[in-house]
Amino acid sequence: MNAALPDVPEVRVVGLPLLTSGFDLVERLDLAMHLKVHGPLAPLAGEHLAALAEQIALRGRGGAGFPFARKLRAVAEAAIRRGVRPVVVVNGSEDEPACRKDTVLINRAPHLILDGALLAAEALGARTLVVGVTRDSTEASMRAALAERGLSDRRRSPLRARVRRNPVRMVTGESSALVRSADGGPPLPPGRKVRTAESGVGGAPTLLSNAETFAQLAVAARLGPDRYRRTGLRDEPGTVLLTLSGAVTHPMVVEVPTGVPLRYVLQLAGAPPLPQGVLTGGYHGKWLDPVTAQDAVVSRAALEACGGALGAGAVLPLGPGTCPLGEALRVADWLAGESAGQCGPCYLGLPAAARGLAEVLDGGGLTALEALREVTRAVKRRGACKHPDGSAAFVESTLAAFTDDLAAHVLGEGCGRPVEGVLPLHEAGPQGAAPSGRRLAVDWTLCQGHGLCADIVPELIQLGPDGFPSVAEAAVPGYSEARAQRAVRRCPALALRIEEDPSAARAPETRLSLLPRGLSRRALGSGRQ
């Protein structure tokens, strides 16, 4: 039932195309074709541009949904107050395995994105434009688009424009990570929260928004607010781009007016008539049950009102043949591996949440369920970026949406269904976040329960009630490899070793291998049960 989600999937449209105009003519709109399809674009003064964004209720389309007009005014005010030129940044870092809408736009309509970014740059008086990307295809398309416009990063250019390529990681799409990367640093959140509108690239006020947001701005600037508002809902006019994958026969990116029934979009992609659930907003999003999904409509406010999320525009139904909790565990493992390894709630809390969900699936009972809920509560609102919050919300939504399956696993022998791998994940994890291909193993014949390993690599090893490590072996992510080696060197009993992980190539989402439930670590060491 489910098909793989390609790098640049098929594109469909419901109603009249706005963002996807011209896609039926060519695969990629170069500058000449872009102008034929969309026509020329006149610049707008700063307050006029902010008023336009306000009149069409434009919000960021990267997930957070912050009002664009407020962001634009905040950058302008900070630039005037400080007497510095602001910077404009296009966030094209679409690294979630279930999202392709920005990738499609950059590959097929890069000049529409640049139109919006250059409108903002002109209105703000910015002299620097940075486009952040993570894929080969998006980098190539955007570099070609800049060249077609004669834009470059030369020192004396009236507008210095450059493409910044980052690794494929969930955290590289976070605004502070992209700013840090644009300044030549690592593409990771800096660990302290600073408003980009006040201090971004080079310390200058920075207008940062995602690719679709700038494309929507360009469309509205050509049409004007009145014509733009004729499409979609009154309070959320225009169209949205959605990525459809999961249990569908035709994975696709579709442009739809706001207010379209979600069930119609699912039918368009070939989803099951009555899915077990529908994940809305991607892997930092929320699940809808089948009945709610049938009645939901596509808009930010409508989805939030019924317990879902528009988020990054990913929609993933689940068919009846797979275990929904097992599918969620695969995602939870992947989210844990996406940690930057910088703050405790992320590199400790997310692996703990994945282990907790695995324990629930393995029949851990009500005790394991309550422990999992405690972990997700502890993770939220304490991280250096939004990754821990979104990941914890995903786990909480899973527990709330699939209550019958949860009861079967907690109180019985499980739901009896296999895990088919319907929810897409990257085949090879990102550098630094993925398993390193090595694992940390405990030699129970030597372990004496000193506990130093749990102090050095708490994200991999915790102590059980008996004072001994609670895992027999653990896959080592790249960011933990140095600490894992230190734990091996410092083990007083020489009971730890690092070895090649033979399962890493077969399952990129490999999690910690738990000991069989109820089996004593001392018994394993002595050969007794």
Side-chain angles (χ1 to χ4, degrees):
M1 185 67 179
N2 54 297
L5 181 61
D7 188 47
V8 184
E10 174 188 3
V11 178
R12 298 274 189 94
V13 62
V14 175
L16 294 176
L18 297 180
L19 300 173
T20 59
S21 293
F23 282 21
D24 58 333
L25 303 174
V26 291
E27 279 299 306
R28 178 183 180 275
L29 279 75
D30 61 14
L31 183 56
M33 181 59 74
H34 167 75
L35 292 174
K36 286 181 182 179
V37 170
H38 293 283
L41 181 60
L44 291 174
E47 187 50 42
H48 289 166
L49 190 62
L52 171 66
E54 209 163 47
Q55 289 166 350
I56 65 170
L58 180 59
R59 289 175 173 266
R61 301 299 177 92
F66 193 82
F68 187 82
R70 284 173 55 190
K71 188 183 294 188
L72 187 67
R73 289 192 176 106
V75 172
E77 290 167 3
I80 292 170
R81 185 176 64 251
R82 294 176 52 192
V84 297
R85 294 275 191 181
V87 176
V88 174
V89 176
V90 177
N91 191 348
S93 306
E94 194 172 42
D95 305 318
E96 190 173 319
C99 295
R100 292 292 190 277
K101 66 182 184 68
D102 289 337
T103 299
V104 162
L105 274 179
I106 296 174
N107 274 277
R108 302 196 61 183
H111 289 285
L112 197 61
I113 300 165
L114 287 178
D115 277 348
L118 293 172
L119 267 180
E122 180 73 16
L124 291 169
R127 293 294 178 262
T128 302
L129 170 65
V130 181
V131 183
V133 298
T134 54
R135 300 174 185 271
D136 290 337
S137 61
T138 51
E139 180 182 17
S141 180
M142 189 52 72
R143 288 191 185 280
L146 292 179
E148 288 165 5
R149 288 178 178 251
L151 295 173
S152 70
D153 196 25
R154 292 175 182 170
R155 199 175 285 271
R156 294 185 179 179
S157 300
L159 175 72
R160 299 184 63 178
R162 67 181 187 271
V163 175
R164 179 65 181 179
R165 173 72 180 270
N166 290 317
V168 180
R169 297 189 63 175
M170 189 78 163
V171 293
T172 58
E174 205 271 337
S175 60
S176 63
L178 184 52
V179 166
R180 195 177 180 190
S181 168
D183 282 335
L188 301 172
R192 58 187 180 87
K193 295 181 180 179
V194 179
R195 290 182 64 215
T196 306
E198 292 288 337
S199 179
V201 176
T206 299
L207 177 69
L208 188 151
S209 204
N210 93 307
E212 185 192 343
T213 311
F214 285 111
Q216 292 281 3
L217 186 67
V219 168
R222 283 186 168 90
L223 296 179
D226 292 336
R227 286 183 60 196
Y228 186 91
R229 291 176 65 89
R230 292 175 190 170
T231 301
L233 297 171
R234 182 176 180 180
D235 55 346
E236 288 186 44
T239 63
V240 295
L241 289 178
L242 302 175
T243 309
L244 276 294
S245 65
V248 298
T249 56
H250 305 293
M252 65 178 64
V253 168
V254 58
E255 183 182 10
V256 301
T258 55
V260 166
L262 181 61
R263 65 178 179 274
Y264 178 78
V265 179
L266 293 171
Q267 290 169 3
L268 189 67
L274 193 66
Q276 289 191 72
V278 179
L279 181 60
T280 57
Y283 294 158
H284 280 178
K286 296 179 180 179
W287 289 97
L288 296 179
D289 63 71
V291 175
T292 303
Q294 287 292 308
D295 297 333
V297 299
V298 177
S299 86
R300 184 178 301 278
L303 287 172
E304 289 177 356
C306 66
L310 180 61
V315 178
L316 303 100
L318 275 188
T322 190
C323 171
L325 297 180
E327 293 285 349
L329 176 58
R330 294 176 62 248
V331 175
D333 279 330
W334 181 80
L335 290 169
E338 289 295 292
S339 168
Q342 296 185 133
C343 65
C346 200
Y347 86 86
L348 296 178
L350 298 189
R355 288 194 301 271
L357 184 55
E359 185 74 5
V360 169
L361 275 166
D362 290 341
L366 293 172
T367 301
L369 179 59
E370 184 53 39
L372 172 58
R373 286 176 169 152
E374 182 63 31
V375 168
T376 57
R377 284 193 295 266
V379 163
K380 292 188 295 184
R381 294 179 295 278
R382 295 177 53 235
C385 69
K386 295 298 184 182
H387 182 54
D389 294 10
S391 302
F394 168 79
V395 174
E396 288 180 333
S397 178
T398 299
L399 299 180
F402 301 105
T403 51
D404 291 345
D405 294 271
L406 185 62
H409 283 279
V410 171
L411 303 176
E413 297 298 322
C415 68
R417 284 170 290 183
V419 179
E420 296 180 341
V422 174
L423 301 181
L425 294 174
H426 291 309
E427 292 184 2
Q431 182 181 5
S436 61
R438 311 180 78 186
R439 64 184 179 186
L440 193 63
V442 179
D443 185 340
W444 297 114
T445 64
L446 298 176
C447 182
Q448 298 175 15
H450 292 96
L452 284 177
C453 55
D455 290 335
I456 298 172
V457 279
E459 68 271 30
L460 302 181
I461 295 180
Q462 298 80 41
L463 300 183
D466 57 4
F468 283 74
S470 60
V471 296
E473 57 187 38
V476 180
Y479 62 78
S480 291
E481 192 166 9
R483 287 192 293 272
Q485 291 172 345
R486 192 181 315 129
V488 170
R489 292 194 300 267
R490 294 187 61 185
C491 177
L494 303 179
L496 279 180
R497 65 179 182 273
I498 290 183
E499 55 190 32
E500 295 302 314
D501 186 353
S503 64
R506 295 194 306 272
E509 70 277 6
T510 300
R511 66 180 187 273
L512 303 187
S513 300
L514 300 176
L515 287 172
R517 285 176 47 76
L519 201 57
S520 163
R521 280 79 181 162
R522 289 184 182 276
L524 278 175
S526 60
R528 300 190 302 272
Q529 291 190 24

